[in-house]
Amino acid sequence: MTTEESLRPQSLMLTFLGEQVLGRDVCVYSGSVIDVFARAGVGEQATRSTLTRMVHRGLLRRQREGRRMYFGLTQHSAEVLLDGERRMWQTGAVNRHWDGTWTLLGFSLPESWQRQRHDLRAKLAWSGFGPLFGGLWIAPGEVDVSALVAELGLASHVKVFRANADAGTDIGAMIEETWELPELADRYTAFLRRWEPWDTAAPDPDDALARRLLLQTEWLRIIRSDPRLPVGHLPDDWPAEQAEKTFRGVHERLTPLADASARRLLDLVAVRPDPA
């Protein structure tokens, strides 16, 4: 089994930790991680490098037990994983309950603030916004961006409004002009092509844990790039609903074997409090 090129080891690592560590107050042995990642097509050196980088970035903490090194979550990585868990299992990929409101965010930054502009646009896209015009971005529903703006230190340069479109506005056309719908649809279609056969295939018990890891990582990558636009204004053949059905079906088929494999393969220890 090999990973898709677009699935970075850090993304796989976060998915793995969300599955096996989040909410359990445990750390996992590095050798266990290396074993599972090898089954997903990631080499030992790449796995070790990913663990080290994530420690340096404040996404992992180390805990030594005898001669073994274990890795656990930090507060920051736990928050990232909880957000991913919500998007995967609660928010979903299809927005059927849009109330007609939009969040509009306007910003004006000095020309020399190229880095700040790049960071703001990246975080807005992550939060489901699209560029209606150059300095005016829009997202469906009510989106709280206060933490995002405060984190970037741009509160004095950003204005946020809630609005409804005028009756004469062609919302479908506006959506097509603001978001790259064909690109997003292609991602869902590629997911379906890759994973639909597993909806009926009998999984290999030795591969189930790594296979579920790849499934969840790819699905989360797609839905995090999806602004969850109102389904009533999307093309009739929009593939998100079928892709989500496939994700949940394959996940359900893999989980009993994957959980059994995790119990066999993973060496977990309880988190020890950091010394004062």
Side-chain angles (χ1 to χ4, degrees):
M1 188 188 311
T2 57
T3 59
E4 297 300 316
E5 288 184 9
S6 58
L7 299 183
R8 297 182 301 132
Q10 179 171 303
S11 299
L12 288 164
M13 189 71 70
L14 286 168
T15 301
F16 174 79
L17 295 166
E19 282 185 346
Q20 307 299 336
V21 176
L22 182 65
R24 299 177 64 185
D25 288 328
V26 296
C27 297
V28 60
Y29 171 47
S30 60
S32 298
V33 182
I34 290 167
D35 189 2
V36 173
F37 274 48
R39 296 165 190 259
V42 181
E44 178 176 346
Q45 186 56 48
T47 302
R48 290 190 184 277
S49 297
T50 300
L51 288 168
T52 300
R53 283 197 304 271
M54 292 177 71
V55 169
H56 291 159
R57 294 182 59 195
L59 292 170
L60 289 179
R61 63 187 295 272
R62 290 189 178 102
Q63 180 172 309
R64 182 174 292 280
E65 300 285 342
R67 299 181 63 181
R68 291 190 164 191
M69 186 64 73
Y70 293 74
F71 292 84
L73 300 176
T74 63
Q75 181 177 345
H76 177 48
S77 57
E79 290 171 356
V80 171
L81 293 175
L82 284 170
D83 176 68
E85 192 175 72
R86 282 191 295 270
R87 293 200 188 198
M88 196 179 301
W89 299 113
Q90 297 175 27
T91 306
V94 182
N95 184 353
R96 298 184 182 86
H97 306 294
W98 181 58
D99 63 0
T101 63
W102 297 89
T103 299
L104 276 68
L105 183 145
F107 63 89
S108 179
L109 305 180
E111 196 62 37
S112 60
W113 287 20
Q114 294 183 9
R115 180 182 60 79
Q116 291 91 334
R117 186 177 289 105
H118 174 272
D119 290 347
L120 177 59
R121 287 171 173 167
K123 287 186 177 293
L124 287 175
W126 173 269
S127 299
F129 284 81
L132 188 62
F133 300 110
L136 181 63
W137 287 55
I138 188 170
E142 293 193 11
V143 183
D144 184 359
V145 294
S146 55
L148 179 158
V149 173
E151 179 187 348
L152 295 174
L154 297 177
S156 61
H157 298 271
V158 170
K159 300 293 184 290
V160 182
F161 305 88
R162 313 288 183 210
N164 292 84
D166 184 81
T169 301
D170 187 335
I171 294 176
M174 182 190 73
I175 285 174
E176 289 184 5
E177 293 166 2
T178 305
W179 284 275
E180 297 290 341
L181 292 187
E183 180 180 327
L184 182 57
D186 286 347
R187 291 178 186 174
Y188 280 121
T189 301
F191 180 90
L192 278 165
R193 188 166 54 247
R194 187 152 34 249
W195 290 103
E196 267 188 324
W198 290 95
D199 214 359
T200 54
D204 183 335
D206 291 337
D207 285 344
L209 182 57
R211 183 72 62 183
R212 186 178 67 178
L213 176 62
L214 293 168
L215 171 76
Q216 290 195 180
T217 304
E218 184 176 354
W219 180 246
L220 189 55
R221 178 180 61 84
I222 296 171
I223 60 174
R224 275 185 161 155
S225 69
D226 187 341
R228 297 189 74 251
L229 298 161
V231 68
H233 295 284
L234 290 171
D236 291 338
D237 58 351
W238 189 245
E241 184 170 7
Q242 182 59 37
E244 183 168 55
K245 181 181 177 182
T246 295
F247 164 71
R248 290 177 179 266
V250 175
H251 187 277
E252 184 176 354
R253 287 179 62 82
L254 290 173
T255 287
L257 292 173
D259 287 349
S261 182
R263 289 191 291 270
R264 290 195 310 270
L265 295 174
L266 303 186
D267 177 3
L268 304 171
V269 297
V271 171
R272 280 190 280 103
D274 290 325

